[in-house]
mmCIF file of all heavy atoms in Angstrom:
data_model
loop_
_atom_site.group_PDB
_atom_site.id
_atom_site.type_symbol
_atom_site.label_atom_id
_atom_site.label_comp_id
_atom_site.label_asym_id
_atom_site.label_seq_id
_atom_site.Cartn_x
_atom_site.Cartn_y
_atom_site.Cartn_z
ATOM 1 N N LYS L 22 6.290 6.172 0.165
ATOM 2 C CA LYS L 22 6.266 6.817 1.474
ATOM 3 C C LYS L 22 7.161 6.060 2.464
ATOM 4 O O LYS L 22 7.659 4.973 2.180
ATOM 5 C CB LYS L 22 4.834 6.882 2.000
ATOM 6 C CG LYS L 22 3.948 7.875 1.246
ATOM 7 C CD LYS L 22 2.622 8.060 1.957
ATOM 8 C CE LYS L 22 1.797 9.164 1.315
ATOM 9 N NZ LYS L 22 0.517 9.367 2.020
ATOM 10 N N GLU L 23 7.310 6.655 3.644
ATOM 11 C CA GLU L 23 8.167 6.060 4.665
ATOM 12 C C GLU L 23 7.688 4.669 5.067
ATOM 13 O O GLU L 23 8.488 3.804 5.423
ATOM 14 C CB GLU L 23 8.222 6.964 5.902
ATOM 15 C CG GLU L 23 9.014 8.255 5.700
ATOM 16 C CD GLU L 23 8.278 9.276 4.837
ATOM 17 O OE1 GLU L 23 7.062 9.105 4.596
ATOM 18 O OE2 GLU L 23 8.919 10.248 4.400
ATOM 19 N N ASN L 24 6.364 4.438 5.014
ATOM 20 C CA ASN L 24 5.820 3.121 5.366
ATOM 21 C C ASN L 24 5.819 2.161 4.175
ATOM 22 O O ASN L 24 5.232 1.096 4.238
ATOM 23 C CB ASN L 24 4.403 3.255 5.924
ATOM 24 C CG ASN L 24 3.440 3.912 4.932
ATOM 25 O OD1 ASN L 24 3.775 4.146 3.767
ATOM 26 N ND2 ASN L 24 2.240 4.224 5.392
ATOM 27 N N ARG L 25 6.463 2.573 3.091
ATOM 28 C CA ARG L 25 6.621 1.794 1.853
ATOM 29 C C ARG L 25 5.332 1.672 1.040
ATOM 30 O O ARG L 25 5.270 0.908 0.087
ATOM 31 C CB ARG L 25 7.231 0.417 2.116
ATOM 32 C CG ARG L 25 8.667 0.498 2.608
ATOM 33 C CD ARG L 25 9.407 -0.810 2.532
ATOM 34 N NE ARG L 25 9.034 -1.720 3.590
ATOM 35 C CZ ARG L 25 9.731 -2.807 3.927
ATOM 36 N NH1 ARG L 25 10.841 -3.092 3.282
ATOM 37 N NH2 ARG L 25 9.328 -3.582 4.904
ATOM 38 N N SER L 26 4.295 2.413 1.410
ATOM 39 C CA SER L 26 3.140 2.507 0.517
ATOM 40 C C SER L 26 3.581 3.301 -0.712
ATOM 41 O O SER L 26 4.457 4.155 -0.638
ATOM 42 C CB SER L 26 1.956 3.180 1.208
ATOM 43 O OG SER L 26 2.249 4.504 1.568
ATOM 44 N N HIS L 27 2.970 3.004 -1.851
ATOM 45 C CA HIS L 27 3.498 3.538 -3.107
ATOM 46 C C HIS L 27 2.378 3.840 -4.089
ATOM 47 O O HIS L 27 1.263 3.324 -3.977
ATOM 48 C CB HIS L 27 4.481 2.537 -3.731
ATOM 49 C CG HIS L 27 3.962 1.126 -3.760
ATOM 50 N ND1 HIS L 27 3.199 0.610 -4.785
ATOM 51 C CD2 HIS L 27 4.084 0.127 -2.861
ATOM 52 C CE1 HIS L 27 2.883 -0.644 -4.526
ATOM 53 N NE2 HIS L 27 3.400 -0.971 -3.360
ATOM 54 N N HIS L 28 2.730 4.686 -5.065
ATOM 55 C CA HIS L 28 1.733 5.128 -6.036
ATOM 56 C C HIS L 28 2.435 5.511 -7.336
ATOM 57 O O HIS L 28 3.402 6.284 -7.327
ATOM 58 C CB HIS L 28 0.965 6.329 -5.479
ATOM 59 C CG HIS L 28 -0.160 6.802 -6.355
ATOM 60 N ND1 HIS L 28 -1.244 6.019 -6.657
ATOM 61 C CD2 HIS L 28 -0.362 7.991 -6.978
ATOM 62 C CE1 HIS L 28 -2.069 6.705 -7.432
ATOM 63 N NE2 HIS L 28 -1.558 7.904 -7.650
ATOM 64 N N LEU L 29 1.967 4.964 -8.443
ATOM 65 C CA LEU L 29 2.512 5.286 -9.763
ATOM 66 C C LEU L 29 2.037 6.672 -10.171
ATOM 67 O O LEU L 29 0.840 6.920 -10.257
ATOM 68 C CB LEU L 29 2.046 4.235 -10.779
ATOM 69 C CG LEU L 29 2.505 4.411 -12.231
ATOM 70 C CD1 LEU L 29 3.999 4.152 -12.349
ATOM 71 C CD2 LEU L 29 1.724 3.484 -13.158
ATOM 72 N N ILE L 30 2.987 7.589 -10.439
ATOM 73 C CA ILE L 30 2.581 8.959 -10.778
ATOM 74 C C ILE L 30 2.899 9.323 -12.233
ATOM 75 O O ILE L 30 2.391 10.311 -12.739
ATOM 76 C CB ILE L 30 3.217 9.990 -9.827
ATOM 77 C CG1 ILE L 30 4.742 9.987 -9.925
ATOM 78 C CG2 ILE L 30 2.759 9.752 -8.402
ATOM 79 C CD1 ILE L 30 5.401 11.151 -9.204
ATOM 80 N N GLU L 31 3.768 8.544 -12.908
ATOM 81 C CA GLU L 31 4.062 8.794 -14.325
ATOM 82 C C GLU L 31 4.289 7.461 -15.026
ATOM 83 O O GLU L 31 4.885 6.537 -14.460
ATOM 84 C CB GLU L 31 5.314 9.662 -14.503
ATOM 85 C CG GLU L 31 5.219 11.075 -13.978
ATOM 86 C CD GLU L 31 4.342 11.982 -14.827
ATOM 87 O OE1 GLU L 31 3.887 11.541 -15.907
ATOM 88 O OE2 GLU L 31 4.137 13.144 -14.407
ATOM 89 N N ASN L 32 3.810 7.375 -16.260
ATOM 90 C CA ASN L 32 4.021 6.179 -17.080
ATOM 91 C C ASN L 32 4.154 6.644 -18.531
ATOM 92 O O ASN L 32 3.154 6.928 -19.189
ATOM 93 C CB ASN L 32 2.853 5.205 -16.922
ATOM 94 C CG ASN L 32 3.107 3.873 -17.607
ATOM 95 O OD1 ASN L 32 4.126 3.693 -18.289
ATOM 96 N ND2 ASN L 32 2.201 2.932 -17.438
ATOM 97 N N LEU L 33 5.390 6.761 -19.001
ATOM 98 C CA LEU L 33 5.664 7.321 -20.322
ATOM 99 C C LEU L 33 6.275 6.268 -21.239
ATOM 100 O O LEU L 33 7.002 5.384 -20.790
ATOM 101 C CB LEU L 33 6.623 8.511 -20.207
ATOM 102 C CG LEU L 33 6.237 9.628 -19.229
ATOM 103 C CD1 LEU L 33 7.321 10.686 -19.194
ATOM 104 C CD2 LEU L 33 4.901 10.233 -19.619
ATOM 105 N N LYS L 34 5.997 6.405 -22.525
ATOM 106 C CA LYS L 34 6.546 5.467 -23.509
ATOM 107 C C LYS L 34 6.897 6.206 -24.787
ATOM 108 O O LYS L 34 6.169 7.117 -25.199
ATOM 109 C CB LYS L 34 5.535 4.357 -23.832
ATOM 110 C CG LYS L 34 6.065 3.332 -24.828
ATOM 111 C CD LYS L 34 4.984 2.355 -25.256
ATOM 112 C CE LYS L 34 4.105 2.940 -26.333
ATOM 113 N NZ LYS L 34 3.244 1.951 -27.009
#
Side-chain angles (χ1 to χ4, degrees):
K22 289 189 173 181
E23 289 73 13
N24 59 8
R25 294 195 283 195
S26 63
H27 47 88
H28 184 63
L29 179 70
I30 62 169
E31 295 287 354
N32 188 355
L33 307 177
K34 181 187 81 167

